[in-house]
Amino acid sequence: MSGLQRNTSVRRGVAPVEAHPGAEGNTVLIDRAGSEVERLRGVVAQLMHTAAHDPLTGLPTRRLLLERLAEVLAHDAAEGRQIAVLFVDLDNFKLVNDSLGHGSGDEVLSEMARRISGCIERGDTASRFGGDEMVILHPHAADGSELALGKRILTALAEPIFVSGKEVVVSASIGVALCTPGMKSAAQLLREADTALYAAKDRGRARLELFSDELYERAEKRMRIESDLRVALREQQLFVEYQPQVRLKDGRVVGVEALVRWKHPKFGVVPPGDFIGVAEDCGLINGIGRLVLEQSCRQLADWTRLAPGRPLAMTVNVSPRQLSDPAFFTELRQVLADTGIDPRALCLEVTESAMMRAPAEIVQLLDQIRQLGIYVAIDDFGTGHSSLSRLRDMPAEVLKIDRSFVDGLGSETGDTAIVSSILSLAYAMGKHTIAEGVEQPEQAALLLRMGCEAAQGYFFSRPVAAERIPPLLTGALWEARSPGAPHSTPHTEAQIRRGHRYFIDEFLDHIGAPMGTKAPGSP
């Protein structure tokens, strides 16, 4: 018909566009794509939000945090304001996953994220950086507001939560770094916050540390030690010295403790305290521990061949990381097979703090080690937080009394009482005792009178090279009748036990126990 055109559909993308005749015969296009475009925009926005936010916690991702941090660092500095980054890491979160399962661990993370979100201010960004690490960007820090924010987060996270019907308390450590816009890169500011976080962990956890030049120097030193330590393992710069352990009643050497040393090509002999902690943190302790165990057991085998009728025990320190290694037990059995030593001549030391918080798997492993005939010792005993029930259930036969208590024997009433109580406890539980850090003859004499079986320390001998041990096995390193000892008469076993009971009584008096509890026959 004249003046009219057939309706036709054309496609613009995926949306139809219909053509209609106008009043003067012109075609008018009606675009139905509007609503479809809006829908697609919504889908894209949702996808972008999902990609930029963690699906578990709902917090912004690492990538989004980095973008926002780079943006605020590029701005001009406002008067008196700085940019702060807070690096938050949950303490011992692995224990939650191991004991309650990863599902419960996810619940804890979600709750922690909710609490952190409730602490931040307008303009702040809280992100999940990875695992149990969260980073908060506080772009308008002033007058210590970053520290106040960190303290609020610590308080909020310290409150218990209920997961699977159980109350769980998970603390956190926080590292804080500050800078003026334009002065540092995002990577540098985050690295400084991470350094401060490491310091917070190192200084006891559940605390906040602010980055400083001192922390930077410590971090640089730690990185240098880690790098040099890797070289030391490859180039065999590590070696073992041995400190004699003396039986107090006759002064004879009955054992030695293997102690690792590092001969640095530039700095000379590096003390273990300067590198063992670093080795633990970076995972090198397994290689170091394996080296010490193999070398000390081979050395014990050599000494046994030289003096087959002379019993000698070897004590070797093992770390929690070694015990957590699935290959440790197999390697231990292989060392015993390769060296041919009597398992009863080997004693493995675990620190009290590690022993008391050891998970069930480690306790089971230690029990398997005992079944091989190997002794297990609790090192630094008295410095941790042992419970009697936990100690009773631990597969350990030896308690090593920490040097910090031995140092005050005879001069500090508190130290004397603590050593006395440890010895009483060991005697009652049927455990052996070794006192560490003996430096004076009076300390040795007092330990003997208190009923301590063995001791080690500079008074008897410093740690020495392997070739210096055999001559020490031929005689006594100390005699109870030597000048300076409180008693000049030999101590029989009965006298030692009576003296031991006397100190039990003294300890009971010290804590105010009734006098009627004294053991029969006590002085």
Side-chain angles (χ1 to χ4, degrees), residues 274-491:
D274 286 355
F275 68 88
I276 290 297
V278 175
E280 286 271 7
D281 292 337
C282 67
L284 293 176
I285 194 65
N286 285 0
I288 294 174
R290 191 179 306 115
L291 179 149
V292 174
L293 180 63
E294 292 174 352
Q295 187 170 329
S296 57
C297 287
R298 283 198 303 269
Q299 188 59 67
L300 180 61
D302 290 343
W303 289 331
T304 302
R305 283 191 292 269
L306 288 174
R310 182 74 170 84
L312 188 68
M314 175 69 71
T315 300
V316 180
N317 294 276
V318 292
S319 78
R321 275 185 175 267
Q322 286 179 267
L323 296 175
S324 299
D325 185 351
F328 177 77
F329 187 69
T330 301
E331 292 173 352
L332 176 61
R333 294 178 60 182
Q334 188 62 50
V335 168
L336 293 176
D338 291 344
T339 60
I341 65 169
D342 184 346
R344 294 171 297 179
L346 181 61
C347 178
L348 300 184
E349 285 189 21
V350 184
T351 62
E352 181 187 22
S353 57
M355 182 74 84
M356 291 304 111
R357 65 170 182 260
E361 295 81 6
I362 299 300
V363 176
Q364 184 179 1
L365 172 62
L366 292 173
D367 194 52
Q368 290 177 308
I369 289 172
R370 279 186 61 195
Q371 292 175 22
L372 292 177
I374 298 171
Y375 283 83
V376 175
I378 301 180
D379 195 18
D380 303 332
F381 190 78
T383 59
H385 301 281
S386 299
S387 68
L388 291 178
S389 60
R390 182 72 168 165
L391 179 61
R392 177 197 60 200
D393 297 334
M394 283 292 104
E397 299 116 318
V398 183
L399 303 182
K400 297 195 72 176
I401 304 172
D402 188 70
R403 65 181 67 245
S404 61
F405 304 123
V406 174
D407 186 57
L409 275 180
S411 59
E412 297 290 339
T413 305
D415 286 349
T416 302
I418 289 172
V419 173
S420 173
S421 64
I422 292 173
L423 290 168
S424 301
L425 180 65
Y427 181 54
M429 300 183 76
K431 298 184 184 297
H432 301 283
T433 53
I434 301 176
E436 299 181 289
V438 176
E439 298 186 356
Q440 303 294 332
E442 293 80 11
Q443 295 170 342
L446 192 53
L447 285 166
L448 172 63
R449 205 166 64 228
M450 294 167 77
C452 186
E453 298 169 299
Q456 63 188 87
Y458 286 1
F459 170 63
F460 305 110
S461 172
R462 291 175 175 268
V464 296
E467 59 269 18
R468 294 182 57 185
I469 291 296
L472 299 179
L473 305 179
T474 58
L477 296 188
W478 174 69
E479 295 182 8
R481 295 186 300 172
S482 61
H487 298 289
S488 58
T489 57
H491 290 270

Side-chain angles (χ1 to χ4, degrees), residues 12 27 67 77 93 107 111 125 142 171 220 230 267 324 333 355 377 382 391 439 447 450 461 474:
R12 180 183 301 165
T27 301
E67 290 176 356
F93 179 68
E107 289 185 49
E111 176 61 18
T125 300
S171 64
E220 286 287 302
R230 295 183 186 278
F267 302 109
S324 299
R333 294 178 60 182
M355 182 74 84
L391 179 61
E439 298 186 356
L447 285 166
M450 294 167 77
S461 172
T474 58

